[in-house]
């Protein structure tokens, strides 16, 4: 039973399209993140949610809109996809705010924009 | 984006040698420090966490933290080919919900 699951694992799409990536966790954690990992392996934080409330938005273009319908889900919707959006997107969870515990990662979604 | 820096490598060491990975961070409020290992095509996995100055050992891995110098390192003793991966340093600002990663160091252990 996967703790943090992301779908889809691979996403290939054309420029200008709108797509969504879904993340679900069954750990009961309060905090969820979206990270973007570029081809050089740099993991950049995009968003952080705590109990469905947005905590961090790290200068991400407003084409990216996270949505947390409940504590177990944090989805990422991307409008008007651009070539530079091609990357691996990781969802991650943390037990709670300032717990200083490790992050639990999903398996990643490889997005390719053509 | 809070700044966390690592030597990108690639770092190559022979099997059985010690691999030394370094990380510096810019934000003095950083309180918690982590080393993740990421194999190609996989998600990062935690290998060490350290919260106070000094050394912390776990098997072949030793993390070293110096908050005054804003420096954290990871030593891998008796390196094995299976240690070949990208190693990511991460810091947590301890104010909640703020994990920041370095650019990663690619390590290759040569048999």
């Amino acid at each position: 039973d996967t703790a943090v699951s992301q779908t889809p694992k691979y996403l290939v799409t054309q420029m200008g399209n709108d797509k969504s990536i879904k993340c679900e966790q069954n750990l009961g954690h309060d905090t969820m993140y979206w990270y973007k990992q570029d081809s050089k392996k740099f993991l950049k934080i995009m968003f952080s949610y705590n109990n469905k409330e947005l905590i961090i938005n790290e200068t991400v273009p407003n084409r990216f809109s996270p949505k947390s319908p409940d504590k177990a889900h944090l989805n990422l919707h991307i409008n008007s996809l651009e070539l530079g959006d091609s990357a691996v997107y990781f969802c991650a969870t943390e037990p709670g705010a300032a717990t200083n515990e490790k992050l639990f990662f999903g398996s990643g979604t490889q997005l390719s924009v053509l | 984006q809070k700044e966390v820096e690592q030597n990108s490598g690639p770092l190559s060491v022979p099997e059985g040698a010690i691999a030394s990975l370094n990380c510096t961070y810019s934000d003095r409020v950083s309180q918690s420090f982590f080393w993740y290992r990421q194999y190609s095509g996989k998600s990062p996995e935690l290998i060490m966490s350290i919260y106070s100055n000094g050394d912390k050992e776990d098997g072949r891995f030793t993390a070293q933290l110096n908050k005054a110098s804003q420096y954290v390192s990871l030593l891998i003793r008796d390196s094995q080919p299976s240690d070949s991966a990208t190693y990511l340093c991460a810091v947590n600002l301890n104010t909640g919900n703020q994990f920041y990663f370095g650019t990663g160091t690619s390590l290759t252990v040569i048999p």
Side-chain angles (χ1 to χ4, degrees), chain A residues 31 33 93-104, chain B residues 29-34 36 46 48-51 56 67 90-99:
Chain A
T31 305
Y33 298 82
T93 70
E94 183 189 3
T99 56
N100 297 326
E101 295 187 40
K102 70 175 184 178
L103 291 177
F104 292 75
Chain B
V29 301
S30 300
Q31 293 295 323
S32 310
F33 307 86
F34 305 85
Y36 284 80
L46 181 73
M48 288 286 286
S49 58
I50 186 166
Y51 305 104
K56 179 181 177 183
K67 289 187 179 180
V91 305
N92 187 329
L93 299 182
N94 203 40
T95 54
N97 315 121
Q98 298 187 69
F99 274 89

PDB file of all heavy atoms in Angstrom, chain A residues 31 33 93-104, chain B residues 29-34 36 46 48-51 56 67 90-99:
ATOM      1  N   THR A  31       1.325  17.976   6.374  1.00  0.00           N
ATOM      2  CA  THR A  31       1.991  18.877   5.436  1.00  0.00           C
ATOM      3  C   THR A  31       2.317  18.157   4.136  1.00  0.00           C
ATOM      4  O   THR A  31       2.828  17.035   4.151  1.00  0.00           O
ATOM      5  CB  THR A  31       3.291  19.425   6.063  1.00  0.00           C
ATOM      6  OG1 THR A  31       2.979  20.032   7.316  1.00  0.00           O
ATOM      7  CG2 THR A  31       3.929  20.466   5.161  1.00  0.00           C
ATOM      8  N   TYR A  33       3.918  18.841   0.018  1.00  0.00           N
ATOM      9  CA  TYR A  33       4.740  19.715  -0.823  1.00  0.00           C
ATOM     10  C   TYR A  33       4.662  19.277  -2.282  1.00  0.00           C
ATOM     11  O   TYR A  33       4.426  18.111  -2.587  1.00  0.00           O
ATOM     12  CB  TYR A  33       6.221  19.605  -0.435  1.00  0.00           C
ATOM     13  CG  TYR A  33       6.613  20.003   0.961  1.00  0.00           C
ATOM     14  CD1 TYR A  33       6.467  19.120   2.019  1.00  0.00           C
ATOM     15  CD2 TYR A  33       7.181  21.249   1.204  1.00  0.00           C
ATOM     16  CE1 TYR A  33       6.858  19.461   3.297  1.00  0.00           C
ATOM     17  CE2 TYR A  33       7.584  21.603   2.481  1.00  0.00           C
ATOM     18  CZ  TYR A  33       7.422  20.703   3.522  1.00  0.00           C
ATOM     19  OH  TYR A  33       7.821  21.046   4.789  1.00  0.00           O
ATOM     20  N   THR A  93       5.494  14.544   1.657  1.00  0.00           N
ATOM     21  CA  THR A  93       4.724  14.849   2.859  1.00  0.00           C
ATOM     22  C   THR A  93       5.642  14.890   4.072  1.00  0.00           C
ATOM     23  O   THR A  93       6.744  14.324   4.073  1.00  0.00           O
ATOM     24  CB  THR A  93       3.623  13.804   3.120  1.00  0.00           C
ATOM     25  OG1 THR A  93       4.231  12.555   3.522  1.00  0.00           O
ATOM     26  CG2 THR A  93       2.776  13.545   1.891  1.00  0.00           C
ATOM     27  N   GLU A  94       5.177  15.573   5.097  1.00  0.00           N
ATOM     28  CA  GLU A  94       5.883  15.689   6.367  1.00  0.00           C
ATOM     29  C   GLU A  94       4.831  15.537   7.450  1.00  0.00           C
ATOM     30  O   GLU A  94       3.721  16.046   7.287  1.00  0.00           O
ATOM     31  CB  GLU A  94       6.554  17.063   6.442  1.00  0.00           C
ATOM     32  CG  GLU A  94       7.378  17.300   7.693  1.00  0.00           C
ATOM     33  CD  GLU A  94       7.833  18.748   7.816  1.00  0.00           C
ATOM     34  OE1 GLU A  94       7.467  19.576   6.961  1.00  0.00           O
ATOM     35  OE2 GLU A  94       8.538  19.053   8.784  1.00  0.00           O
ATOM     36  N   PRO A  95       5.170  14.851   8.546  1.00  0.00           N
ATOM     37  CA  PRO A  95       4.149  14.604   9.574  1.00  0.00           C
ATOM     38  C   PRO A  95       3.395  15.841  10.048  1.00  0.00           C
ATOM     39  O   PRO A  95       2.185  15.817  10.215  1.00  0.00           O
ATOM     40  CB  PRO A  95       4.955  13.968  10.709  1.00  0.00           C
ATOM     41  CG  PRO A  95       6.075  13.279  10.025  1.00  0.00           C
ATOM     42  CD  PRO A  95       6.436  14.170   8.856  1.00  0.00           C
ATOM     43  N   GLY A  96       4.116  16.950  10.288  1.00  0.00           N
ATOM     44  CA  GLY A  96       3.439  18.144  10.742  1.00  0.00           C
ATOM     45  C   GLY A  96       4.374  19.322  10.662  1.00  0.00           C
ATOM     46  O   GLY A  96       5.556  19.171  10.404  1.00  0.00           O
ATOM     47  N   ALA A  97       3.860  20.494  10.886  1.00  0.00           N
ATOM     48  CA  ALA A  97       4.684  21.684  10.800  1.00  0.00           C
ATOM     49  C   ALA A  97       5.775  21.654  11.859  1.00  0.00           C
ATOM     50  O   ALA A  97       5.523  21.344  13.012  1.00  0.00           O
ATOM     51  CB  ALA A  97       3.818  22.929  11.006  1.00  0.00           C
ATOM     52  N   ALA A  98       6.972  21.943  11.441  1.00  0.00           N
ATOM     53  CA  ALA A  98       8.124  22.063  12.342  1.00  0.00           C
ATOM     54  C   ALA A  98       8.395  20.804  13.146  1.00  0.00           C
ATOM     55  O   ALA A  98       8.874  20.864  14.268  1.00  0.00           O
ATOM     56  CB  ALA A  98       7.928  23.254  13.295  1.00  0.00           C
ATOM     57  N   THR A  99       8.097  19.658  12.569  1.00  0.00           N
ATOM     58  CA  THR A  99       8.410  18.418  13.276  1.00  0.00           C
ATOM     59  C   THR A  99       9.851  17.997  13.043  1.00  0.00           C
ATOM     60  O   THR A  99      10.359  17.118  13.715  1.00  0.00           O
ATOM     61  CB  THR A  99       7.492  17.267  12.819  1.00  0.00           C
ATOM     62  OG1 THR A  99       7.612  17.133  11.405  1.00  0.00           O
ATOM     63  CG2 THR A  99       6.053  17.553  13.194  1.00  0.00           C
ATOM     64  N   ASN A 100      10.491  18.606  12.043  1.00  0.00           N
ATOM     65  CA  ASN A 100      11.884  18.283  11.722  1.00  0.00           C
ATOM     66  C   ASN A 100      12.097  16.830  11.363  1.00  0.00           C
ATOM     67  O   ASN A 100      13.181  16.292  11.547  1.00  0.00           O
ATOM     68  CB  ASN A 100      12.802  18.650  12.894  1.00  0.00           C
ATOM     69  CG  ASN A 100      12.789  20.124  13.164  1.00  0.00           C
ATOM     70  OD1 ASN A 100      12.676  20.917  12.244  1.00  0.00           O
ATOM     71  ND2 ASN A 100      12.857  20.501  14.422  1.00  0.00           N
ATOM     72  N   GLU A 101      11.079  16.209  10.904  1.00  0.00           N
ATOM     73  CA  GLU A 101      11.236  14.825  10.475  1.00  0.00           C
ATOM     74  C   GLU A 101      11.430  14.789   8.969  1.00  0.00           C
ATOM     75  O   GLU A 101      11.298  15.792   8.280  1.00  0.00           O
ATOM     76  CB  GLU A 101      10.007  14.024  10.883  1.00  0.00           C
ATOM     77  CG  GLU A 101       9.846  13.922  12.387  1.00  0.00           C
ATOM     78  CD  GLU A 101       8.729  12.993  12.772  1.00  0.00           C
ATOM     79  OE1 GLU A 101       8.576  11.945  12.127  1.00  0.00           O
ATOM     80  OE2 GLU A 101       7.999  13.309  13.721  1.00  0.00           O
ATOM     81  N   LYS A 102      11.742  13.611   8.487  1.00  0.00           N
ATOM     82  CA  LYS A 102      12.080  13.496   7.079  1.00  0.00           C
ATOM     83  C   LYS A 102      10.858  13.709   6.200  1.00  0.00           C
ATOM     84  O   LYS A 102       9.713  13.624   6.642  1.00  0.00           O
ATOM     85  CB  LYS A 102      12.673  12.124   6.799  1.00  0.00           C
ATOM     86  CG  LYS A 102      11.670  10.983   6.903  1.00  0.00           C
ATOM     87  CD  LYS A 102      12.315   9.666   6.493  1.00  0.00           C
ATOM     88  CE  LYS A 102      11.299   8.528   6.489  1.00  0.00           C
ATOM     89  NZ  LYS A 102      11.924   7.257   6.036  1.00  0.00           N
ATOM     90  N   LEU A 103      11.144  13.959   4.947  1.00  0.00           N
ATOM     91  CA  LEU A 103      10.108  14.034   3.935  1.00  0.00           C
ATOM     92  C   LEU A 103       9.856  12.648   3.360  1.00  0.00           C
ATOM     93  O   LEU A 103      10.783  11.859   3.175  1.00  0.00           O
ATOM     94  CB  LEU A 103      10.527  14.960   2.799  1.00  0.00           C
ATOM     95  CG  LEU A 103      10.623  16.455   3.123  1.00  0.00           C
ATOM     96  CD1 LEU A 103      11.130  17.217   1.915  1.00  0.00           C
ATOM     97  CD2 LEU A 103       9.293  17.000   3.581  1.00  0.00           C
ATOM     98  N   PHE A 104       8.609  12.375   3.071  1.00  0.00           N
ATOM     99  CA  PHE A 104       8.223  11.137   2.407  1.00  0.00           C
ATOM    100  C   PHE A 104       7.857  11.512   0.968  1.00  0.00           C
ATOM    101  O   PHE A 104       6.935  12.299   0.744  1.00  0.00           O
ATOM    102  CB  PHE A 104       7.026  10.500   3.118  1.00  0.00           C
ATOM    103  CG  PHE A 104       7.339   9.992   4.486  1.00  0.00           C
ATOM    104  CD1 PHE A 104       7.507  10.866   5.552  1.00  0.00           C
ATOM    105  CD2 PHE A 104       7.452   8.636   4.732  1.00  0.00           C
ATOM    106  CE1 PHE A 104       7.795  10.405   6.836  1.00  0.00           C
ATOM    107  CE2 PHE A 104       7.723   8.156   6.003  1.00  0.00           C
ATOM    108  CZ  PHE A 104       7.897   9.041   7.048  1.00  0.00           C
TER     109      PHE A 104
ATOM    110  N   VAL B  29      19.015  30.550  10.369  1.00  0.00           N
ATOM    111  CA  VAL B  29      17.951  29.975  11.198  1.00  0.00           C
ATOM    112  C   VAL B  29      17.732  28.498  10.900  1.00  0.00           C
ATOM    113  O   VAL B  29      16.911  27.854  11.529  1.00  0.00           O
ATOM    114  CB  VAL B  29      16.619  30.735  11.054  1.00  0.00           C
ATOM    115  CG1 VAL B  29      16.783  32.182  11.431  1.00  0.00           C
ATOM    116  CG2 VAL B  29      16.057  30.592   9.655  1.00  0.00           C
ATOM    117  N   SER B  30      18.470  27.988   9.917  1.00  0.00           N
ATOM    118  CA  SER B  30      18.343  26.569   9.597  1.00  0.00           C
ATOM    119  C   SER B  30      18.657  25.733  10.823  1.00  0.00           C
ATOM    120  O   SER B  30      19.639  25.973  11.519  1.00  0.00           O
ATOM    121  CB  SER B  30      19.296  26.191   8.456  1.00  0.00           C
ATOM    122  OG  SER B  30      19.002  26.935   7.309  1.00  0.00           O
ATOM    123  N   GLN B  31      17.809  24.756  11.094  1.00  0.00           N
ATOM    124  CA  GLN B  31      17.944  23.999  12.324  1.00  0.00           C
ATOM    125  C   GLN B  31      18.139  22.508  12.122  1.00  0.00           C
ATOM    126  O   GLN B  31      18.711  21.835  12.955  1.00  0.00           O
ATOM    127  CB  GLN B  31      16.691  24.217  13.190  1.00  0.00           C
ATOM    128  CG  GLN B  31      16.539  25.623  13.705  1.00  0.00           C
ATOM    129  CD  GLN B  31      17.638  26.003  14.673  1.00  0.00           C
ATOM    130  OE1 GLN B  31      18.087  25.189  15.470  1.00  0.00           O
ATOM    131  NE2 GLN B  31      18.100  27.235  14.599  1.00  0.00           N
ATOM    132  N   SER B  32      17.624  22.001  11.019  1.00  0.00           N
ATOM    133  CA  SER B  32      17.662  20.558  10.788  1.00  0.00           C
ATOM    134  C   SER B  32      18.287  20.299   9.431  1.00  0.00           C
ATOM    135  O   SER B  32      18.037  21.040   8.480  1.00  0.00           O
ATOM    136  CB  SER B  32      16.245  19.972  10.820  1.00  0.00           C
ATOM    137  OG  SER B  32      15.567  20.397  11.963  1.00  0.00           O
ATOM    138  N   PHE B  33      19.070  19.218   9.382  1.00  0.00           N
ATOM    139  CA  PHE B  33      19.863  18.985   8.188  1.00  0.00           C
ATOM    140  C   PHE B  33      19.749  17.515   7.798  1.00  0.00           C
ATOM    141  O   PHE B  33      19.746  16.632   8.665  1.00  0.00           O
ATOM    142  CB  PHE B  33      21.319  19.371   8.444  1.00  0.00           C
ATOM    143  CG  PHE B  33      21.442  20.768   8.971  1.00  0.00           C
ATOM    144  CD1 PHE B  33      21.337  21.032  10.322  1.00  0.00           C
ATOM    145  CD2 PHE B  33      21.602  21.830   8.086  1.00  0.00           C
ATOM    146  CE1 PHE B  33      21.394  22.325  10.810  1.00  0.00           C
ATOM    147  CE2 PHE B  33      21.666  23.126   8.566  1.00  0.00           C
ATOM    148  CZ  PHE B  33      21.568  23.375   9.918  1.00  0.00           C
ATOM    149  N   PHE B  34      19.653  17.276   6.507  1.00  0.00           N
ATOM    150  CA  PHE B  34      19.374  15.932   6.024  1.00  0.00           C
ATOM    151  C   PHE B  34      20.224  15.637   4.801  1.00  0.00           C
ATOM    152  O   PHE B  34      20.530  16.517   4.004  1.00  0.00           O
ATOM    153  CB  PHE B  34      17.884  15.817   5.627  1.00  0.00           C
ATOM    154  CG  PHE B  34      16.931  16.200   6.731  1.00  0.00           C
ATOM    155  CD1 PHE B  34      16.576  17.525   6.922  1.00  0.00           C
ATOM    156  CD2 PHE B  34      16.394  15.249   7.570  1.00  0.00           C
ATOM    157  CE1 PHE B  34      15.702  17.898   7.943  1.00  0.00           C
ATOM    158  CE2 PHE B  34      15.515  15.606   8.588  1.00  0.00           C
ATOM    159  CZ  PHE B  34      15.180  16.931   8.768  1.00  0.00           C
ATOM    160  N   TYR B  36      19.919  13.059   1.564  1.00  0.00           N
ATOM    161  CA  TYR B  36      19.105  12.120   0.807  1.00  0.00           C
ATOM    162  C   TYR B  36      19.957  11.526  -0.312  1.00  0.00           C
ATOM    163  O   TYR B  36      20.818  12.195  -0.878  1.00  0.00           O
ATOM    164  CB  TYR B  36      17.896  12.832   0.179  1.00  0.00           C
ATOM    165  CG  TYR B  36      16.783  13.153   1.148  1.00  0.00           C
ATOM    166  CD1 TYR B  36      16.868  14.259   1.977  1.00  0.00           C
ATOM    167  CD2 TYR B  36      15.655  12.352   1.230  1.00  0.00           C
ATOM    168  CE1 TYR B  36      15.851  14.557   2.872  1.00  0.00           C
ATOM    169  CE2 TYR B  36      14.627  12.645   2.119  1.00  0.00           C
ATOM    170  CZ  TYR B  36      14.739  13.750   2.935  1.00  0.00           C
ATOM    171  OH  TYR B  36      13.728  14.037   3.815  1.00  0.00           O
ATOM    172  N   LEU B  46      15.881   9.203   2.435  1.00  0.00           N
ATOM    173  CA  LEU B  46      16.690   9.739   3.526  1.00  0.00           C
ATOM    174  C   LEU B  46      17.736   8.733   3.974  1.00  0.00           C
ATOM    175  O   LEU B  46      17.432   7.552   4.184  1.00  0.00           O
ATOM    176  CB  LEU B  46      15.794  10.083   4.712  1.00  0.00           C
ATOM    177  CG  LEU B  46      16.517  10.680   5.920  1.00  0.00           C
ATOM    178  CD1 LEU B  46      16.942  12.115   5.605  1.00  0.00           C
ATOM    179  CD2 LEU B  46      15.632  10.642   7.159  1.00  0.00           C
ATOM    180  N   MET B  48      20.514  10.154   6.237  1.00  0.00           N
ATOM    181  CA  MET B  48      21.004  10.686   7.510  1.00  0.00           C
ATOM    182  C   MET B  48      20.264  11.985   7.836  1.00  0.00           C
ATOM    183  O   MET B  48      19.954  12.761   6.951  1.00  0.00           O
ATOM    184  CB  MET B  48      22.502  11.009   7.431  1.00  0.00           C
ATOM    185  CG  MET B  48      23.418   9.804   7.385  1.00  0.00           C
ATOM    186  SD  MET B  48      23.550   8.967   8.960  1.00  0.00           S
ATOM    187  CE  MET B  48      24.588  10.103   9.862  1.00  0.00           C
ATOM    188  N   SER B  49      20.051  12.202   9.125  1.00  0.00           N
ATOM    189  CA  SER B  49      19.578  13.490   9.597  1.00  0.00           C
ATOM    190  C   SER B  49      20.477  13.901  10.759  1.00  0.00           C
ATOM    191  O   SER B  49      20.989  13.053  11.495  1.00  0.00           O
ATOM    192  CB  SER B  49      18.118  13.403  10.065  1.00  0.00           C
ATOM    193  OG  SER B  49      17.987  12.439  11.095  1.00  0.00           O
ATOM    194  N   ILE B  50      20.687  15.204  10.911  1.00  0.00           N
ATOM    195  CA  ILE B  50      21.526  15.700  12.007  1.00  0.00           C
ATOM    196  C   ILE B  50      20.980  17.034  12.450  1.00  0.00           C
ATOM    197  O   ILE B  50      20.568  17.864  11.617  1.00  0.00           O
ATOM    198  CB  ILE B  50      23.018  15.767  11.582  1.00  0.00           C
ATOM    199  CG1 ILE B  50      23.911  16.136  12.768  1.00  0.00           C
ATOM    200  CG2 ILE B  50      23.228  16.689  10.395  1.00  0.00           C
ATOM    201  CD1 ILE B  50      25.406  15.884  12.509  1.00  0.00           C
ATOM    202  N   TYR B  51      20.959  17.258  13.769  1.00  0.00           N
ATOM    203  CA  TYR B  51      20.322  18.460  14.289  1.00  0.00           C
ATOM    204  C   TYR B  51      21.255  19.299  15.151  1.00  0.00           C
ATOM    205  O   TYR B  51      21.001  20.491  15.362  1.00  0.00           O
ATOM    206  CB  TYR B  51      19.099  18.078  15.129  1.00  0.00           C
ATOM    207  CG  TYR B  51      18.116  17.216  14.386  1.00  0.00           C
ATOM    208  CD1 TYR B  51      18.026  15.851  14.644  1.00  0.00           C
ATOM    209  CD2 TYR B  51      17.292  17.755  13.411  1.00  0.00           C
ATOM    210  CE1 TYR B  51      17.130  15.056  13.959  1.00  0.00           C
ATOM    211  CE2 TYR B  51      16.387  16.963  12.714  1.00  0.00           C
ATOM    212  CZ  TYR B  51      16.314  15.614  12.993  1.00  0.00           C
ATOM    213  OH  TYR B  51      15.431  14.823  12.309  1.00  0.00           O
ATOM    214  N   LYS B  56      27.605  12.525  13.570  1.00  0.00           N
ATOM    215  CA  LYS B  56      26.598  11.483  13.808  1.00  0.00           C
ATOM    216  C   LYS B  56      26.900  10.333  12.869  1.00  0.00           C
ATOM    217  O   LYS B  56      27.008  10.537  11.667  1.00  0.00           O
ATOM    218  CB  LYS B  56      25.192  12.027  13.550  1.00  0.00           C
ATOM    219  CG  LYS B  56      24.102  10.986  13.753  1.00  0.00           C
ATOM    220  CD  LYS B  56      22.737  11.569  13.470  1.00  0.00           C
ATOM    221  CE  LYS B  56      21.654  10.517  13.604  1.00  0.00           C
ATOM    222  NZ  LYS B  56      20.316  11.047  13.263  1.00  0.00           N
ATOM    223  N   LYS B  67      27.404  24.494  12.700  1.00  0.00           N
ATOM    224  CA  LYS B  67      26.458  25.596  12.484  1.00  0.00           C
ATOM    225  C   LYS B  67      27.153  26.938  12.407  1.00  0.00           C
ATOM    226  O   LYS B  67      26.701  27.833  11.700  1.00  0.00           O
ATOM    227  CB  LYS B  67      25.405  25.603  13.585  1.00  0.00           C
ATOM    228  CG  LYS B  67      24.418  24.441  13.502  1.00  0.00           C
ATOM    229  CD  LYS B  67      23.303  24.599  14.506  1.00  0.00           C
ATOM    230  CE  LYS B  67      22.314  23.463  14.400  1.00  0.00           C
ATOM    231  NZ  LYS B  67      21.203  23.606  15.378  1.00  0.00           N
ATOM    232  N   ALA B  90      19.724  18.691   2.369  1.00  0.00           N
ATOM    233  CA  ALA B  90      18.498  19.449   2.595  1.00  0.00           C
ATOM    234  C   ALA B  90      18.555  20.111   3.963  1.00  0.00           C
ATOM    235  O   ALA B  90      19.104  19.551   4.912  1.00  0.00           O
ATOM    236  CB  ALA B  90      17.266  18.546   2.503  1.00  0.00           C
ATOM    237  N   VAL B  91      17.990  21.314   4.046  1.00  0.00           N
ATOM    238  CA  VAL B  91      17.912  22.008   5.330  1.00  0.00           C
ATOM    239  C   VAL B  91      16.459  22.372   5.594  1.00  0.00           C
ATOM    240  O   VAL B  91      15.677  22.617   4.676  1.00  0.00           O
ATOM    241  CB  VAL B  91      18.808  23.261   5.374  1.00  0.00           C
ATOM    242  CG1 VAL B  91      20.238  22.908   5.032  1.00  0.00           C
ATOM    243  CG2 VAL B  91      18.300  24.341   4.463  1.00  0.00           C
ATOM    244  N   ASN B  92      16.125  22.380   6.865  1.00  0.00           N
ATOM    245  CA  ASN B  92      14.790  22.758   7.287  1.00  0.00           C
ATOM    246  C   ASN B  92      14.928  23.964   8.201  1.00  0.00           C
ATOM    247  O   ASN B  92      15.695  23.942   9.157  1.00  0.00           O
ATOM    248  CB  ASN B  92      14.137  21.594   8.033  1.00  0.00           C
ATOM    249  CG  ASN B  92      12.677  21.868   8.364  1.00  0.00           C
ATOM    250  OD1 ASN B  92      12.289  23.012   8.576  1.00  0.00           O
ATOM    251  ND2 ASN B  92      11.883  20.833   8.400  1.00  0.00           N
ATOM    252  N   LEU B  93      14.170  25.018   7.898  1.00  0.00           N
ATOM    253  CA  LEU B  93      14.308  26.252   8.645  1.00  0.00           C
ATOM    254  C   LEU B  93      13.670  26.195  10.021  1.00  0.00           C
ATOM    255  O   LEU B  93      13.738  27.133  10.773  1.00  0.00           O
ATOM    256  CB  LEU B  93      13.710  27.416   7.857  1.00  0.00           C
ATOM    257  CG  LEU B  93      14.360  27.678   6.500  1.00  0.00           C
ATOM    258  CD1 LEU B  93      13.714  28.881   5.845  1.00  0.00           C
ATOM    259  CD2 LEU B  93      15.862  27.895   6.663  1.00  0.00           C
ATOM    260  N   ASN B  94      13.019  25.085  10.323  1.00  0.00           N
ATOM    261  CA  ASN B  94      12.439  24.894  11.651  1.00  0.00           C
ATOM    262  C   ASN B  94      11.288  25.844  11.949  1.00  0.00           C
ATOM    263  O   ASN B  94      10.799  25.900  13.060  1.00  0.00           O
ATOM    264  CB  ASN B  94      13.511  25.045  12.743  1.00  0.00           C
ATOM    265  CG  ASN B  94      13.120  24.323  14.034  1.00  0.00           C
ATOM    266  OD1 ASN B  94      12.568  23.228  13.983  1.00  0.00           O
ATOM    267  ND2 ASN B  94      13.392  24.939  15.160  1.00  0.00           N
ATOM    268  N   THR B  95      10.894  26.613  10.957  1.00  0.00           N
ATOM    269  CA  THR B  95       9.713  27.450  11.152  1.00  0.00           C
ATOM    270  C   THR B  95       8.506  26.810  10.501  1.00  0.00           C
ATOM    271  O   THR B  95       7.475  27.402  10.366  1.00  0.00           O
ATOM    272  CB  THR B  95       9.948  28.850  10.561  1.00  0.00           C
ATOM    273  OG1 THR B  95      10.360  28.710   9.199  1.00  0.00           O
ATOM    274  CG2 THR B  95      11.007  29.591  11.339  1.00  0.00           C
ATOM    275  N   GLY B  96       8.700  25.617  10.077  1.00  0.00           N
ATOM    276  CA  GLY B  96       7.584  24.863   9.545  1.00  0.00           C
ATOM    277  C   GLY B  96       7.512  24.867   8.038  1.00  0.00           C
ATOM    278  O   GLY B  96       7.586  25.911   7.421  1.00  0.00           O
ATOM    279  N   ASN B  97       7.359  23.714   7.481  1.00  0.00           N
ATOM    280  CA  ASN B  97       7.030  23.580   6.066  1.00  0.00           C
ATOM    281  C   ASN B  97       8.062  24.178   5.126  1.00  0.00           C
ATOM    282  O   ASN B  97       7.713  24.671   4.054  1.00  0.00           O
ATOM    283  CB  ASN B  97       5.673  24.243   5.776  1.00  0.00           C
ATOM    284  CG  ASN B  97       4.642  23.885   6.800  1.00  0.00           C
ATOM    285  OD1 ASN B  97       4.088  24.746   7.468  1.00  0.00           O
ATOM    286  ND2 ASN B  97       4.400  22.601   6.969  1.00  0.00           N
ATOM    287  N   GLN B  98       9.312  24.160   5.508  1.00  0.00           N
ATOM    288  CA  GLN B  98      10.309  24.764   4.636  1.00  0.00           C
ATOM    289  C   GLN B  98      11.553  23.900   4.527  1.00  0.00           C
ATOM    290  O   GLN B  98      12.545  24.126   5.218  1.00  0.00           O
ATOM    291  CB  GLN B  98      10.679  26.161   5.138  1.00  0.00           C
ATOM    292  CG  GLN B  98       9.516  27.119   5.130  1.00  0.00           C
ATOM    293  CD  GLN B  98       9.936  28.534   5.461  1.00  0.00           C
ATOM    294  OE1 GLN B  98      10.620  29.169   4.689  1.00  0.00           O
ATOM    295  NE2 GLN B  98       9.533  29.012   6.617  1.00  0.00           N
ATOM    296  N   PHE B  99      11.473  22.882   3.678  1.00  0.00           N
ATOM    297  CA  PHE B  99      12.631  22.058   3.353  1.00  0.00           C
ATOM    298  C   PHE B  99      13.229  22.586   2.060  1.00  0.00           C
ATOM    299  O   PHE B  99      12.544  22.668   1.040  1.00  0.00           O
ATOM    300  CB  PHE B  99      12.205  20.609   3.099  1.00  0.00           C
ATOM    301  CG  PHE B  99      12.111  19.769   4.332  1.00  0.00           C
ATOM    302  CD1 PHE B  99      10.935  19.695   5.053  1.00  0.00           C
ATOM    303  CD2 PHE B  99      13.197  19.029   4.756  1.00  0.00           C
ATOM    304  CE1 PHE B  99      10.841  18.907   6.189  1.00  0.00           C
ATOM    305  CE2 PHE B  99      13.113  18.228   5.885  1.00  0.00           C
ATOM    306  CZ  PHE B  99      11.938  18.166   6.597  1.00  0.00           C
TER     307      PHE B  99
END
